[in-house]
Amino acid sequence: MMKLIVHDDYEAMSAAAAQWLVDRIRTRPAMLACLAAGSTPTRAYELFVEWSRRTPELFDELRLIALDEWGGLSAEDPGSCQFQLRREVVAPLGMNERFLEFDGDAPNLQAECDRVADWLSRHGPIDACVLGLGINGHLGFNEPADSLQPHAHVTPLAATSLGHAMVRDLAAKPAFGMTLGMADLLNAREVLLLVSGQQKGPALRALLHGPLTTAFPASLLHLHSSVTLICDGSAYAALAADI
Ligand code: GLP
């Protein structure tokens, strides 16, 4: 079931997202949270970290896993998911040993995905999965395709993904992405999907009103029993304007 919540603006959406995460830690202190990179969750992460300053003991057992990574980008590269998540969440929370990430710079990307898949099979499932929505409907780098992969894997990137702000100005664009698979996301106990900005309007419409199809991977979230979709007013207005 997908519960839709619309907030006036990005700030209110982010505050609700941070609160959602904090509520989950309260219920399950050692929870495994999967975190997306990208611009959408940035403010939510900042507010989440502020919570940790007020109640640090709440975060003592929290575990994190990164959703995805650009193949070929290292943790030192400002465009990498590792760089963003370490800077915005992992370093401020001081929890390096409780964070599992894809090493985008690994010599063998498939072996790196196998390592992550093996870890998740032993330490999962994900308890709380924070996702952003690609303009093409991707989740992580589960890109639109005839079929989708269940677990961590290396994948070609869609043209829209290569136009993402994290990598669009790079001289050498990543050839592949690394991502948790659709089954990993659908096996999460709870999912939080964040959608912000008018450019996401068409994707939000496809998600809410379109068919269930691997050509729009986010649509498979309708199969999940507990998805909270929080969007801001500009994404929701763009959805309504186009109907
Ligand atoms: C990126 C990442 C996703 C992210 C999504 C949305 O390409 N692979 O993890 O959630 O696309 O990004 P943004 O929030 O910047 O729109």
Side-chain angles (χ1 to χ4, degrees):
M1 197 198 119
M2 197 174 287
K3 178 178 171 192
L4 171 66
I5 301 171
V6 184
H7 281 284
D8 283 350
D9 54 24
Y10 179 68
E11 183 65 19
M13 181 197 83
S14 302
Q19 180 74 56
W20 185 93
L21 270 171
V22 169
D23 288 346
R24 265 85 208 149
I25 305 185
R26 286 212 167 101
T27 314
R28 201 183 290 270
M31 77 167 179
L32 176 62
C34 169
L35 300 184
S39 61
T40 308
T42 291
R43 179 64 179 148
Y45 294 157
E46 202 176 356
L47 294 168
F48 183 58
V49 165
E50 280 180 20
W51 270 96
S52 78
R53 299 208 176 96
R54 294 195 289 269
T55 50
E57 65 284 355
L58 202 56
F59 292 71
D60 283 351
E61 298 171 75
L62 173 66
R63 301 169 297 145
L64 300 176
I65 183 169
L67 170 65
D68 58 3
E69 187 54 278
W70 306 96
L73 298 201
S74 74
E76 286 70 46
D77 194 311
S80 70
C81 302
Q82 277 179 288
F83 185 91
Q84 180 189 343
L85 292 176
R86 285 186 187 196
R87 187 191 55 195
E88 294 181 358
V89 186
V90 176
L93 292 181
M95 52 182 296
N96 275 321
E97 341 66 67
R98 286 179 284 129
F99 174 50
L100 188 87
E101 59 198 335
F102 291 96
D103 177 4
D105 205 22
N108 182 334
L109 298 186
Q110 186 55 55
E112 178 61 4
C113 287
D114 293 345
R115 179 183 72 86
V116 171
D118 177 61
W119 186 92
L120 191 55
S121 74
R122 287 181 290 112
H123 299 282
I126 293 162
D127 293 300
C129 188
V130 180
L131 301 174
L133 178 63
I135 54 175
N136 65 350
H138 75 198
L139 295 176
F141 285 126
N142 292 281
E143 302 280 21
D146 290 340
S147 61
L148 299 174
Q149 298 293 318
H151 303 300
H153 61 283
V154 181
T155 174
L157 294 168
T160 51
S161 298
L162 291 169
H164 191 281
M166 292 170 86
V167 296
R168 74 173 158 237
D169 295 330
L170 293 180
K173 294 244 177 36
F176 298 97
M178 305 152 86
T179 184
L180 298 185
M182 260 336 275
D184 297 325
L185 308 187
L186 292 173
N187 284 334
R189 287 184 215 276
E190 293 184 89
V191 174
L192 175 65
L193 177 63
L194 297 176
V195 184
S196 167
Q198 64 174 20
Q199 73 285 0
K200 295 286 176 75
L204 189 56
R205 185 173 63 251
L207 173 63
L208 294 176
H209 301 299
L212 210 76
T213 169
T214 59
F216 193 86
S219 67
L220 298 190
L221 288 179
H222 289 289
L223 297 171
H224 195 284
S225 59
S226 182
V227 177
T228 302
L229 163 56
I230 308 184
C231 66
D232 63 11
S234 55
Y236 195 70
L239 156 115
D242 257 342
I243 283 177

